[in-house]
């Protein structure tokens, strides 16, 4: 199998298909498009505890663009933000974190200390407590691996005992997207290709693109959306906006109709993706929250009042057709596939190993 998420058909067949034991106090558990499990203990009222998990090969902040043979490596702060986003999109307020670190045998103590210092800095920013975890040196790993398990308290007004989270997308609802697509991948690619980009584009554009990491939190829009009566939320990340739309529809068992021209895309992302020959619609899109609402324009207006860019991009439909419109032409959305950044980095590693000249194939 290729790097990145396991393909959905394999996930359903070999992972989800093996999970059969169920409990009444676990809601919103394992399933396509489900980023959090919700625990609803008896006597806990209408609220609950949301739990999510994220993992990555990890690097220190000043080494994050040295991908090497390990492929994509994120920082501890980036990993923790992804956990917090998952919780916020499940109508939960992030509160605590467990961290597991698996380290290669050549790791020095100063590296371990620096990784945990970066983790603590991000947790302080998000008011999260590192409540425990495991730290182990393993001969089986060639790069540090971090696994973060996030915990949050569900908002009682948003948590449904039969669904376990804010809700599901239903036919007739509008689809609203916050900020812009491709932010996460643009920042990573711009940082990695800085010298090459500077040979073609002005420094301000490259600096702006590589600084998109400042937009990666979806906590403000999730909070505002809950107050405005959002029906369902899903944070875009690996697989890009196309992956997020597919997972949102799959989780609700619904179709959708989306106008691709309405999907918000920064010009910096367009330029970086053209330089790297990647598809911005399938590029990591952390920082972008996909929402459904009965009144999409009203929800978008509330977000914009709070200085959060937002756009209505389509509607949820009956059936299972997931349709994309562009200039009068119709295409069907494919199931979530491999993120473009993994394909790009795999090609980089392959060229280094084989000595091929610069060039990229889809």
């Amino acid at each position: 199998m290729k790097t990145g998420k396991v393909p959905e058909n394999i996930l359903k067949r070999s992972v989800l298909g093996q999970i059969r034991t169920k409990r009444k106090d676990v809601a919103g558990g394992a399933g396509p498009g489900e980023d959090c499990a919700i625990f609803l203990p008896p006597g806990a009222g209408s609220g609950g505890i949301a739990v999510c998990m994220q993992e990555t090969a990890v690097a220190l902040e000043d080494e994050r663009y040295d991908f090497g043979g390990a492929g994509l490596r994120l920082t501890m702060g980036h990993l923790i933000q992804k956990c917090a986003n998952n919780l916020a999109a499940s109508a939960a307020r992030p509160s605590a974190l467990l961290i597991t670190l698996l380290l290669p045998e050549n790791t020095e103590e100063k590296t371990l200390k620096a990784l945990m210092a970066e983790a603590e800095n991000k947790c302080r920013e998000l008011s999260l407590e590192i409540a425990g975890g495991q730290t182990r040196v393993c001969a089986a790993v060639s790069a540090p691996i971090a696994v973060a398990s996030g915990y949050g308290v569900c908002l009682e007004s948003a948590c449904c005992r039969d669904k376990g989270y804010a809700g599901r997308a239903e036919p007739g609802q509008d689809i609203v997207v916050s900020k812009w697509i491709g932010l996460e991948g643009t920042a990573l690619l711009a940082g990695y290709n800085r010298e090459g980009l500077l040979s073609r584009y002005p420094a301000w554009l490259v600096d702006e693109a590589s600084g998109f990491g400042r937009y990666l939190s979806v906590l403000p829009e999730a909070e505002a959306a809950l107050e405005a009566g959002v029906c369902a939320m899903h944070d875009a990340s690996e697989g890009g906006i196309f992956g997020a739309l597919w997972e949102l529809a799959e989780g609700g068992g619904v179709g959708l109709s989306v106008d691709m021209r309405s999907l918000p895309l920064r010009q910096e992302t367009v330029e970086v993706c053209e330089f790297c020959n990647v598809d911005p619609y399938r590029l990591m899109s952390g920082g972008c929250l996909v929402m459904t609402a009965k009144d999409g324009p009203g929800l978008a207006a509330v977000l914009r009042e709070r200085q959060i860019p937002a756009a209505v991009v389509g509607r949820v439909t009956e059936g299972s057709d997931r349709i994309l419109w562009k200039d009068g032409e119709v295409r069907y959305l494919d199931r979530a596939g491999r993120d473009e950044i993994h394909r790009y980095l795999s090609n980089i590693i392959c060229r280094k190993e084989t000595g091929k000249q610069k060039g990229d194939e889809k």
Side-chain angles (χ1 to χ4, degrees):
M1 291 185 283
K2 295 180 178 179
T3 9
K5 285 185 178 180
V6 172
E8 186 180 306
N9 58 333
I10 296 178
L11 176 70
K12 288 181 176 179
R13 183 173 60 242
S14 298
V15 179
L16 301 178
Q18 311 309 311
I19 300 173
R20 299 181 178 87
T21 305
K22 303 292 183 181
R23 290 179 56 93
K24 292 182 179 180
D25 53 1
V26 178
E34 302 286 359
D35 289 329
C36 289
I38 310 295
F39 296 88
L40 302 171
S46 59
I49 303 297
V51 181
C52 70
M53 183 176 291
Q54 290 284 344
E55 92 302 323
T56 188
V58 72
L60 293 171
E61 182 71 25
D62 58 358
E63 299 173 349
R64 63 193 185 282
Y65 299 128
D66 180 19
F67 296 118
L72 180 65
R73 295 199 293 169
L74 303 180
T75 64
M76 293 296 290
H78 194 156
L79 177 69
I80 292 167
Q81 184 66 68
K82 290 168 79 70
C83 263
N85 285 353
N86 284 169
L87 293 168
S90 293
R93 183 172 290 111
S95 58
L97 200 73
L98 298 180
I99 297 176
T100 294
L101 283 172
L102 304 178
L103 306 171
E105 291 180 316
N106 62 353
T107 304
E108 298 181 2
E109 183 182 351
K110 65 179 182 180
T111 299
L112 171 59
K113 185 175 182 179
L115 287 170
M116 288 306 301
E118 289 184 7
E120 172 58 26
N121 287 340
K122 188 64 178 181
C123 286
R124 185 183 307 115
E125 174 189 324
L126 296 172
S127 297
L128 282 167
E129 178 179 344
I130 299 176
Q134 292 284 340
T135 310
R136 185 176 296 275
V137 177
C138 301
V141 299
S142 58
I145 302 293
V147 181
S149 299
Y151 297 80
V153 179
C154 297
L155 302 179
E156 291 192 8
S157 60
C159 187
C160 304
R161 183 163 291 275
D162 60 334
K163 297 178 181 177
Y165 63 109
R168 295 186 185 277
E170 296 182 356
Q173 296 170 357
D174 294 320
I175 302 171
V176 179
V177 167
S178 74
K179 297 203 285 286
W180 307 276
I181 70 172
L183 291 171
E184 187 177 11
T186 299
L188 291 166
L189 290 173
Y192 181 78
N193 291 285
R194 181 175 177 80
E195 290 186 11
L197 288 166
L198 286 172
S199 69
R200 183 183 297 185
Y201 303 113
W204 68 261
L205 186 146
V206 179
D207 290 341
E208 181 67 14
S210 59
F212 278 176
R214 68 185 184 276
Y215 295 125
L216 295 190
S217 175
V218 301
L219 273 66
E221 50 258 59
E223 180 180 353
L226 286 169
E227 295 175 6
V230 70
C231 296
M233 297 186 287
H234 187 66
D235 63 306
S237 185
E238 190 169 335
I241 188 62
F242 280 177
L245 288 168
W246 177 274
E247 291 176 348
L248 179 77
E250 191 74 5
V254 294
L256 52 79
S257 177
V258 170
D259 182 355
M260 286 185 63
R261 295 172 303 176
S262 299
L263 293 171
L265 182 62
R266 289 281 293 260
Q267 188 61 34
E268 294 89 346
T269 295
V270 173
E271 306 296 355
V272 170
C273 286
E274 181 181 344
F275 180 86
C276 297
N277 191 25
V278 302
D279 182 351
Y281 299 99
R282 301 183 187 277
L283 180 64
M284 294 177 77
S285 290
C288 175
L289 186 64
V290 183
M291 299 155 277
T292 68
K294 294 179 181 179
D295 177 12
L299 172 58
V302 168
L303 294 174
R304 289 193 291 266
E305 286 174 3
R306 302 199 184 188
Q307 309 305 309
I308 301 169
V312 179
V313 301
R315 287 180 67 81
V316 182
T317 61
E318 294 183 355
S320 58
D321 289 342
R322 286 111 198 220
I323 298 173
L324 301 171
W325 298 84
K326 186 175 183 181
D327 299 327
E329 295 184 0
V330 177
R331 59 179 285 192
Y332 289 88
L333 182 65
D334 298 325
R335 69 178 62 204
R338 190 186 192 199
D339 193 284
E340 282 286 90
I341 200 164
H342 291 300
R343 182 189 62 80
Y344 175 81
L345 292 176
S346 293
N347 286 335
I348 292 291
I349 294 169
C350 179
R351 287 198 295 268
K352 287 182 177 179
E353 292 176 347
T354 61
K356 291 181 180 180
Q357 295 299 311
K358 185 173 182 179
D360 199 12
E361 301 80 26
K362 290 269 183 178

mmCIF file of all heavy atoms in Angstrom, residues 195-218:
data_model
loop_
_atom_site.group_PDB
_atom_site.id
_atom_site.type_symbol
_atom_site.label_atom_id
_atom_site.label_comp_id
_atom_site.label_asym_id
_atom_site.label_seq_id
_atom_site.Cartn_x
_atom_site.Cartn_y
_atom_site.Cartn_z
ATOM 1 N N GLU A 195 13.418 27.994 -2.205
ATOM 2 C CA GLU A 195 14.400 28.531 -3.150
ATOM 3 C C GLU A 195 13.872 28.495 -4.575
ATOM 4 O O GLU A 195 14.026 29.451 -5.340
ATOM 5 C CB GLU A 195 15.714 27.753 -3.046
ATOM 6 C CG GLU A 195 16.469 28.006 -1.748
ATOM 7 C CD GLU A 195 17.827 27.326 -1.752
ATOM 8 O OE1 GLU A 195 18.254 26.842 -2.822
ATOM 9 O OE2 GLU A 195 18.451 27.275 -0.678
ATOM 10 N N GLY A 196 13.251 27.391 -4.964
ATOM 11 C CA GLY A 196 12.710 27.283 -6.310
ATOM 12 C C GLY A 196 11.589 28.280 -6.555
ATOM 13 O O GLY A 196 11.516 28.898 -7.623
ATOM 14 N N LEU A 197 10.719 28.457 -5.575
ATOM 15 C CA LEU A 197 9.613 29.401 -5.715
ATOM 16 C C LEU A 197 10.122 30.836 -5.841
ATOM 17 O O LEU A 197 9.575 31.635 -6.609
ATOM 18 C CB LEU A 197 8.667 29.277 -4.516
ATOM 19 C CG LEU A 197 7.810 28.004 -4.471
ATOM 20 C CD1 LEU A 197 7.184 27.833 -3.090
ATOM 21 C CD2 LEU A 197 6.725 28.040 -5.543
ATOM 22 N N LEU A 198 11.186 31.174 -5.105
ATOM 23 C CA LEU A 198 11.733 32.530 -5.162
ATOM 24 C C LEU A 198 12.337 32.849 -6.528
ATOM 25 O O LEU A 198 12.461 34.011 -6.904
ATOM 26 C CB LEU A 198 12.784 32.719 -4.073
ATOM 27 C CG LEU A 198 12.246 32.863 -2.641
ATOM 28 C CD1 LEU A 198 13.380 32.859 -1.633
ATOM 29 C CD2 LEU A 198 11.421 34.152 -2.511
ATOM 30 N N SER A 199 12.699 31.805 -7.266
ATOM 31 C CA SER A 199 13.239 32.040 -8.606
ATOM 32 C C SER A 199 12.144 32.397 -9.601
ATOM 33 O O SER A 199 12.434 32.875 -10.705
ATOM 34 C CB SER A 199 13.989 30.792 -9.092
ATOM 35 O OG SER A 199 13.087 29.719 -9.357
ATOM 36 N N ARG A 200 10.886 32.174 -9.224
ATOM 37 C CA ARG A 200 9.769 32.436 -10.131
ATOM 38 C C ARG A 200 8.812 33.507 -9.609
ATOM 39 O O ARG A 200 8.214 34.254 -10.391
ATOM 40 C CB ARG A 200 8.990 31.141 -10.385
ATOM 41 C CG ARG A 200 7.856 31.307 -11.378
ATOM 42 C CD ARG A 200 7.043 30.041 -11.559
ATOM 43 N NE ARG A 200 7.818 28.940 -12.105
ATOM 44 C CZ ARG A 200 7.277 27.764 -12.443
ATOM 45 N NH1 ARG A 200 5.973 27.562 -12.279
ATOM 46 N NH2 ARG A 200 8.045 26.809 -12.933
ATOM 47 N N TYR A 201 8.640 33.581 -8.278
ATOM 48 C CA TYR A 201 7.630 34.474 -7.704
ATOM 49 C C TYR A 201 8.276 35.470 -6.749
ATOM 50 O O TYR A 201 9.367 35.223 -6.212
ATOM 51 C CB TYR A 201 6.579 33.662 -6.948
ATOM 52 C CG TYR A 201 5.906 32.615 -7.785
ATOM 53 C CD1 TYR A 201 6.108 31.258 -7.528
ATOM 54 C CD2 TYR A 201 5.057 32.963 -8.833
ATOM 55 C CE1 TYR A 201 5.491 30.282 -8.288
ATOM 56 C CE2 TYR A 201 4.425 31.994 -9.601
ATOM 57 C CZ TYR A 201 4.658 30.654 -9.332
ATOM 58 O OH TYR A 201 4.041 29.697 -10.094
ATOM 59 N N PRO A 202 7.600 36.590 -6.467
ATOM 60 C CA PRO A 202 8.144 37.580 -5.514
ATOM 61 C C PRO A 202 8.206 37.014 -4.101
ATOM 62 O O PRO A 202 7.414 36.131 -3.737
ATOM 63 C CB PRO A 202 7.161 38.745 -5.616
ATOM 64 C CG PRO A 202 5.905 38.167 -6.182
ATOM 65 C CD PRO A 202 6.329 37.048 -7.082
ATOM 66 N N ALA A 203 9.120 37.538 -3.305
ATOM 67 C CA ALA A 203 9.339 37.030 -1.952
ATOM 68 C C ALA A 203 8.078 37.131 -1.102
ATOM 69 O O ALA A 203 7.808 36.240 -0.281
ATOM 70 C CB ALA A 203 10.490 37.768 -1.297
ATOM 71 N N TRP A 204 7.278 38.210 -1.287
ATOM 72 C CA TRP A 204 6.087 38.374 -0.453
ATOM 73 C C TRP A 204 5.111 37.227 -0.670
ATOM 74 O O TRP A 204 4.464 36.774 0.282
ATOM 75 C CB TRP A 204 5.417 39.713 -0.722
ATOM 76 C CG TRP A 204 4.794 39.853 -2.099
ATOM 77 C CD1 TRP A 204 5.341 40.466 -3.177
ATOM 78 C CD2 TRP A 204 3.517 39.357 -2.520
ATOM 79 N NE1 TRP A 204 4.499 40.386 -4.267
ATOM 80 C CE2 TRP A 204 3.364 39.722 -3.884
ATOM 81 C CE3 TRP A 204 2.495 38.655 -1.891
ATOM 82 C CZ2 TRP A 204 2.228 39.383 -4.625
ATOM 83 C CZ3 TRP A 204 1.359 38.328 -2.616
ATOM 84 C CH2 TRP A 204 1.236 38.690 -3.979
ATOM 85 N N LEU A 205 4.994 36.742 -1.914
ATOM 86 C CA LEU A 205 4.071 35.645 -2.182
ATOM 87 C C LEU A 205 4.550 34.355 -1.527
ATOM 88 O O LEU A 205 3.760 33.614 -0.920
ATOM 89 C CB LEU A 205 3.915 35.454 -3.692
ATOM 90 C CG LEU A 205 2.867 34.426 -4.144
ATOM 91 C CD1 LEU A 205 2.212 34.864 -5.452
ATOM 92 C CD2 LEU A 205 3.472 33.029 -4.317
ATOM 93 N N VAL A 206 5.849 34.084 -1.624
ATOM 94 C CA VAL A 206 6.402 32.864 -1.027
ATOM 95 C C VAL A 206 6.292 32.922 0.492
ATOM 96 O O VAL A 206 5.931 31.929 1.144
ATOM 97 C CB VAL A 206 7.865 32.667 -1.466
ATOM 98 C CG1 VAL A 206 8.447 31.405 -0.834
ATOM 99 C CG2 VAL A 206 7.958 32.596 -2.990
ATOM 100 N N ASP A 207 6.582 34.085 1.072
ATOM 101 C CA ASP A 207 6.486 34.234 2.526
ATOM 102 C C ASP A 207 5.038 34.052 2.990
ATOM 103 O O ASP A 207 4.783 33.427 4.019
ATOM 104 C CB ASP A 207 6.993 35.611 2.949
ATOM 105 C CG ASP A 207 8.498 35.756 2.792
ATOM 106 O OD1 ASP A 207 9.181 34.718 2.705
ATOM 107 O OD2 ASP A 207 8.978 36.906 2.738
ATOM 108 N N GLU A 208 4.099 34.627 2.248
ATOM 109 C CA GLU A 208 2.690 34.504 2.609
ATOM 110 C C GLU A 208 2.243 33.040 2.544
ATOM 111 O O GLU A 208 1.573 32.546 3.451
ATOM 112 C CB GLU A 208 1.832 35.361 1.683
ATOM 113 C CG GLU A 208 0.345 35.325 1.972
ATOM 114 C CD GLU A 208 -0.038 35.957 3.294
ATOM 115 O OE1 GLU A 208 0.793 36.670 3.888
ATOM 116 O OE2 GLU A 208 -1.187 35.727 3.746
ATOM 117 N N ALA A 209 2.632 32.342 1.480
ATOM 118 C CA ALA A 209 2.235 30.941 1.324
ATOM 119 C C ALA A 209 2.817 30.063 2.426
ATOM 120 O O ALA A 209 2.127 29.233 3.012
ATOM 121 C CB ALA A 209 2.680 30.426 -0.041
ATOM 122 N N SER A 210 4.094 30.260 2.741
ATOM 123 C CA SER A 210 4.723 29.432 3.774
ATOM 124 C C SER A 210 4.210 29.783 5.165
ATOM 125 O O SER A 210 4.368 29.011 6.106
ATOM 126 C CB SER A 210 6.244 29.578 3.718
ATOM 127 O OG SER A 210 6.624 30.924 3.901
ATOM 128 N N GLY A 211 3.555 30.951 5.290
ATOM 129 C CA GLY A 211 3.004 31.361 6.582
ATOM 130 C C GLY A 211 1.557 30.972 6.789
ATOM 131 O O GLY A 211 0.934 31.389 7.778
ATOM 132 N N PHE A 212 0.996 30.181 5.885
ATOM 133 C CA PHE A 212 -0.405 29.777 6.019
ATOM 134 C C PHE A 212 -0.665 28.930 7.262
ATOM 135 O O PHE A 212 -1.816 28.701 7.627
ATOM 136 C CB PHE A 212 -0.844 29.000 4.773
ATOM 137 C CG PHE A 212 -1.231 29.867 3.604
ATOM 138 C CD1 PHE A 212 -1.561 29.302 2.382
ATOM 139 C CD2 PHE A 212 -1.270 31.255 3.714
ATOM 140 C CE1 PHE A 212 -1.925 30.090 1.296
ATOM 141 C CE2 PHE A 212 -1.627 32.054 2.642
ATOM 142 C CZ PHE A 212 -1.958 31.459 1.426
ATOM 143 N N GLY A 213 0.408 28.473 7.919
ATOM 144 C CA GLY A 213 0.221 27.696 9.144
ATOM 145 C C GLY A 213 -0.526 28.457 10.218
ATOM 146 O O GLY A 213 -1.136 27.854 11.102
ATOM 147 N N ARG A 214 -0.532 29.768 10.129
ATOM 148 C CA ARG A 214 -1.232 30.570 11.139
ATOM 149 C C ARG A 214 -2.748 30.454 11.010
ATOM 150 O O ARG A 214 -3.491 30.898 11.903
ATOM 151 C CB ARG A 214 -0.814 32.037 11.031
ATOM 152 C CG ARG A 214 -1.259 32.756 9.769
ATOM 153 C CD ARG A 214 -0.667 34.160 9.726
ATOM 154 N NE ARG A 214 -1.111 34.954 8.595
ATOM 155 C CZ ARG A 214 -0.579 34.916 7.388
ATOM 156 N NH1 ARG A 214 0.428 34.071 7.144
ATOM 157 N NH2 ARG A 214 -1.037 35.691 6.426
ATOM 158 N N TYR A 215 -3.227 29.878 9.928
ATOM 159 C CA TYR A 215 -4.664 29.749 9.708
ATOM 160 C C TYR A 215 -5.207 28.361 10.063
ATOM 161 O O TYR A 215 -6.379 28.080 9.813
ATOM 162 C CB TYR A 215 -4.998 30.012 8.236
ATOM 163 C CG TYR A 215 -4.734 31.409 7.747
ATOM 164 C CD1 TYR A 215 -3.915 31.631 6.642
ATOM 165 C CD2 TYR A 215 -5.323 32.513 8.376
ATOM 166 C CE1 TYR A 215 -3.689 32.922 6.170
ATOM 167 C CE2 TYR A 215 -5.087 33.805 7.912
ATOM 168 C CZ TYR A 215 -4.267 33.996 6.804
ATOM 169 O OH TYR A 215 -4.051 35.269 6.343
ATOM 170 N N LEU A 216 -4.381 27.461 10.590
ATOM 171 C CA LEU A 216 -4.775 26.050 10.668
ATOM 172 C C LEU A 216 -5.809 25.725 11.737
ATOM 173 O O LEU A 216 -6.426 24.659 11.698
ATOM 174 C CB LEU A 216 -3.536 25.168 10.869
ATOM 175 C CG LEU A 216 -2.530 25.162 9.717
ATOM 176 C CD1 LEU A 216 -1.484 24.079 9.926
ATOM 177 C CD2 LEU A 216 -3.213 24.990 8.369
ATOM 178 N N SER A 217 -6.036 26.590 12.692
ATOM 179 C CA SER A 217 -7.036 26.292 13.727
ATOM 180 C C SER A 217 -8.446 26.548 13.203
ATOM 181 O O SER A 217 -8.720 27.590 12.596
ATOM 182 C CB SER A 217 -6.793 27.152 14.966
ATOM 183 O OG SER A 217 -7.834 26.948 15.910
ATOM 184 N N VAL A 218 -9.355 25.582 13.449
ATOM 185 C CA VAL A 218 -10.771 25.790 13.109
ATOM 186 C C VAL A 218 -11.608 25.993 14.368
ATOM 187 O O VAL A 218 -12.839 26.024 14.299
ATOM 188 C CB VAL A 218 -11.343 24.613 12.280
ATOM 189 C CG1 VAL A 218 -10.571 24.431 10.988
ATOM 190 C CG2 VAL A 218 -11.376 23.317 13.085
#
